[in-house]
Amino acid sequence: MRYQTSIGAFVLAAALSAACVGAFAFDETKYPDWRGQWDRIGAPRWDPADRLNERAPLTEEYKAIHAENLADQVAGGHGTEPTHTCLAPGMPRAMNVYEPMEIVVTPHTTYILIDHIQDSRRIFTDGRDWPKEIEPTFAGYSIGKWLDSDGDGRYDTLEVETRAFKGPRAYDASGLLLHRDNQSVIKERIYLDKADPNTLVDEITTIDNALTRPWTVTKKYRRDPKDTQPFWRETICAENNNHVVIGTDNYFVSSDGYLMPTRKDQPPPDLKYFEATPK
Amino acid sequence: MIRKLIGATAFALALGVAGADAQIPDLSKYPDWSGQWRRPPGLGIQFDQTKPLGRGQQAPLTAEYQAIYEAGLADQAAGGQGTDPTYRCIPFGMPRMTSAIFPFEFLIQPHTTFILSDYNMPRRIHTDGRDFPAEFEPNFAGYSIGQWIDTDGDGKYDELRIETRGMRGPRSFEASGIPLHEDNETIVKERFYLDKNDKNVIYDEITTFDNALTRPWVVTKKYIRQVGPVVWFEQNCSEDNHQVLIGKENYFLGGDGLLMPTKKNQAPPDLKYFNLPRR
């Protein structure tokens, strides 16, 4: 299903205009300094203040799905955790920041770069409206707006709204699932901690049909101002991923290269397409 | 030809910008390479755009690596993947990622030029005057250092020269599996510059030094800037990857999710770790 919104001629003109002049005609001093390498503070769980996601305002239907998911994980499965096959985490989970994050601010786009699967994002700040049709993605389509919240003449807060998702997506490795209709809307307020310019705050509000109400979580990230040449590690999920899904079942490829069950008494996969006998 | 290298001055400029606490710098000295860049229409995914994929590339391989390549081609003819490592969603790495299988974008900042595509991890080309670190972790994209050059002395940079080292593998030049040496001592030098007569054409002259080659292999790639609105796609290789590697054998997941052979008379995987009868 394509997400139905709209690019109009005006927006197109604005975007083209930004592309032509944006790189060279702007007031550089209006934007905050978010450069550097940002690491998440704490473990990569969704709500830093709620380790087991017990405060997640799930609907009854999704409470049941989550309970089933947890039981499956205890039995050796992956439940509703979709990234074990190296699917992109998507939004909002990407903001767990599994690998260090770099933010590059330009007048027309703010780029969030994370060297993990496909977690990088473009946040368009060129004044565009939602396109009429958007190909859904795990990261969604993000439009941002810079705010000068304290009236000092400089931007300090980036407000972002993200729509047009595909799934499956979960909040974190617990498998806490977003609704399968993928109608999520994510709103963010990103700003530096006023007391510490090396702490970045992201207030994330998720509006999703698996929730009984909007769910707001605040995440924090740290940068080391002394690290002027940070190393950016390339994390390749598929390189050493031993999880294999065959049919609807998950299996594991052992270190000696054999297919293994992931659950007690799990039957082997159907090999009906093979004529030769197993090795 | 006057050539002005970015060195200590540019580094000082970058630091100066940081000191001014403004993230968006003065880019008036830099060329406008904004927008979405693609391979020319109708062109395939071969490494040297002027020659056909496969043996027609006439890659200057050593006898040893030509034999490895020929064995890989024979394996591909039999249904295997030969020496193309990317079927498991391993990154292309350098220099193959320059083939622009998917569109890419330049994001120029004084300290770094980013090359962003919705398939590869962000590529960072450091232009802050640094030297190669004494030690760094190899990755598929390598570690890239660039220098901006004003070739015509008009006071504006028009060419980006890059040297890339520190790669890991396995890597191949293209899908036919033309291999790079397994010692990963590759050095790739590039020159990016706009066509003097068409600002919507950019060239990348790529010279690969590798111990699998008898001499440096120079190819010049051409990319076309998209005029008008652009759409960025999210290409998640793992999302619909039907290739499965178990031990040293590659299998295929059929439309019904079941494991299939990729070669005639291929034996099924050994199921010695399963106790129960097959489904």
Side-chain angles (χ1 to χ4, degrees), chain B residues 59-129:
Chain B
L61 291 170
T62 62
E64 178 191 2
Y65 272 79
Q66 186 68 41
I68 291 171
Y69 180 43
E70 292 295 336
L73 288 173
D75 184 60
Q76 289 187 355
Q81 299 292 330
T83 46
D84 175 15
T86 64
Y87 69 96
R88 290 187 295 131
C89 299
I90 300 295
F92 293 138
M94 278 297 288
R96 183 171 170 184
M97 62 197 297
T98 62
S99 290
I101 309 298
F102 297 100
F104 67 94
E105 176 178 23
F106 293 99
L107 175 53
I108 297 174
Q109 302 281 288
H111 54 85
T112 309
T113 290
F114 301 83
I115 298 181
L116 307 176
S117 113
D118 291 349
Y119 188 81
N120 302 310
M121 293 284 182
R123 183 178 175 206
R124 290 176 175 83
I125 299 156
H126 302 292
T127 55
D128 55 5

Side-chain angles (χ1 to χ4, degrees), chain A residues 29 33 60 67-68 78 93 96 103 115 130 138 158-159 163 195 210 220 229 247:
Chain A
T29 62
D33 181 4
E60 290 304 317
E68 193 177 329
H78 287 277
R93 185 174 176 179
N96 285 348
I103 302 175
D115 292 0
W130 300 100
F138 291 105
L158 180 60
E159 281 193 345
R163 303 178 178 207
K220 292 187 178 181
Q229 293 187 357

Side-chain angles (χ1 to χ4, degrees), chain B residues 157-229:
Chain B
Y157 299 125
D158 50 39
E159 183 173 308
L160 179 60
R161 293 192 177 183
I162 309 166
E163 182 168 322
T164 302
R165 301 177 175 218
M167 280 156 265
R168 63 182 168 124
R171 288 167 295 124
S172 66
F173 284 93
E174 59 171 28
S176 76
I178 300 172
L180 288 109
H181 200 285
E182 65 179 6
D183 67 9
N184 288 311
E185 295 297 315
T186 320
I187 296 172
V188 181
K189 297 188 178 186
E190 295 168 271
R191 291 174 60 231
F192 272 106
Y193 54 93
L194 287 183
D195 187 310
K196 293 209 183 302
N197 299 314
D198 185 350
K199 66 178 182 177
N200 292 322
V201 171
I202 198 165
Y203 298 101
D204 186 10
E205 181 192 287
I206 305 166
T207 303
T208 305
F209 301 81
D210 187 87
N211 290 327
L213 304 175
T214 57
R215 57 173 169 78
W217 188 12
V218 183
V219 305
T220 299
K221 292 175 183 282
K222 176 181 179 180
Y223 311 101
I224 309 292
R225 178 162 28 199
Q226 298 304 293
V227 177

Side-chain angles (χ1 to χ4, degrees), chain A:
Chain A
M1 185 187 76
R2 292 174 86 85
Y3 191 86
Q4 302 291 313
T5 45
S6 167
I7 265 189
F10 171 78
V11 174
L12 174 59
L16 290 175
S17 166
C20 293
V21 300
F24 306 114
F26 53 82
D27 183 355
E28 65 190 59
T29 62
K30 280 189 73 86
Y31 295 84
D33 181 4
W34 290 358
R35 285 175 299 178
Q37 185 176 66
W38 297 96
D39 286 304
R40 67 169 184 272
I41 297 177
R45 63 179 67 102
W46 180 242
D47 185 349
D50 181 15
R51 189 169 65 86
L52 299 175
N53 288 319
E54 290 170 327
R55 291 189 290 204
L58 294 175
T59 63
E60 290 304 317
E61 178 191 2
Y62 274 78
K63 275 183 188 169
I65 290 171
H66 188 49
E68 193 177 329
N69 148 65
L70 293 175
D72 184 65
Q73 292 197 18
V74 168
H78 287 277
T80 48
E81 201 293 296
T83 66
H84 65 281
T85 55
C86 299
L87 278 188
M91 278 294 288
R93 185 174 176 179
M95 295 314 293
N96 285 348
V97 178
Y98 288 91
E99 296 294 333
M101 169 173 68
E102 183 166 22
I103 302 175
V104 184
V105 177
T106 74
H108 53 83
T109 307
T110 290
Y111 298 82
I112 294 186
L113 307 177
I114 304 170
D115 292 0
H116 175 261
I117 309 186
Q118 215 154 22
D119 299 12
S120 296
R121 307 170 58 193
R122 285 182 180 85
I123 300 166
F124 300 111
T125 55
D126 56 3
R128 71 180 64 188
D129 201 352
W130 300 100
K132 185 177 290 182
E133 287 194 357
I134 309 174
E135 184 76 28
T137 60
F138 291 105
Y141 192 99
S142 296
I143 292 178
K145 185 179 177 186
W146 285 100
L147 301 180
D148 172 8
S149 67
D150 56 8
D152 69 353
R154 294 185 60 182
Y155 297 128
D156 50 40
T157 302
L158 180 60
E159 281 193 345
V160 188
E161 184 168 321
T162 304
R163 303 178 178 207
F165 299 99
K166 64 176 173 176
R169 288 168 295 125
Y171 291 91
D172 58 23
S174 75
L176 188 70
L177 206 60
L178 287 104
H179 200 284
R180 291 182 174 125
D181 67 11
N182 288 310
Q183 294 300 306
S184 323
V185 176
I186 316 284
K187 298 191 177 190
E188 296 168 272
R189 292 185 73 247
I190 307 173
Y191 54 88
L192 291 181
D193 187 327
K194 289 203 187 306
D196 179 3
N198 295 312
T199 296
L200 187 75
V201 181
D202 189 4
E203 288 175 16
I204 308 173
T205 299
T206 305
I207 301 160
D208 186 83
N209 289 328
L211 304 174
T212 57
R213 58 173 170 77
W215 186 17
T216 302
V217 159
T218 300
K219 292 178 173 291
K220 292 187 178 181
Y221 315 97
R222 283 282 302 165
R223 68 179 163 188
D224 178 358
K226 294 177 187 166
D227 190 1
T228 56
Q229 293 187 357
F231 181 72
W232 299 95
R233 182 175 292 109
E234 185 186 69
T235 303
I236 309 301
C237 176
E239 190 175 12
N240 295 302
N241 186 14
N242 288 5
H243 298 285
V244 178
V245 176
I246 300 174
T248 55
D249 257 0
N250 184 59
Y251 299 93
F252 193 82
V253 178
S254 65
S255 58
D256 55 359
Y258 293 95
L259 208 59
M260 294 177 69
T262 56
R263 312 158 193 254
K264 191 178 177 188
D265 298 330
Q266 184 180 16
D270 187 337
L271 300 178
K272 69 179 183 181
Y273 291 120
F274 290 84
E275 292 175 358
T277 51
K279 282 180 178 174

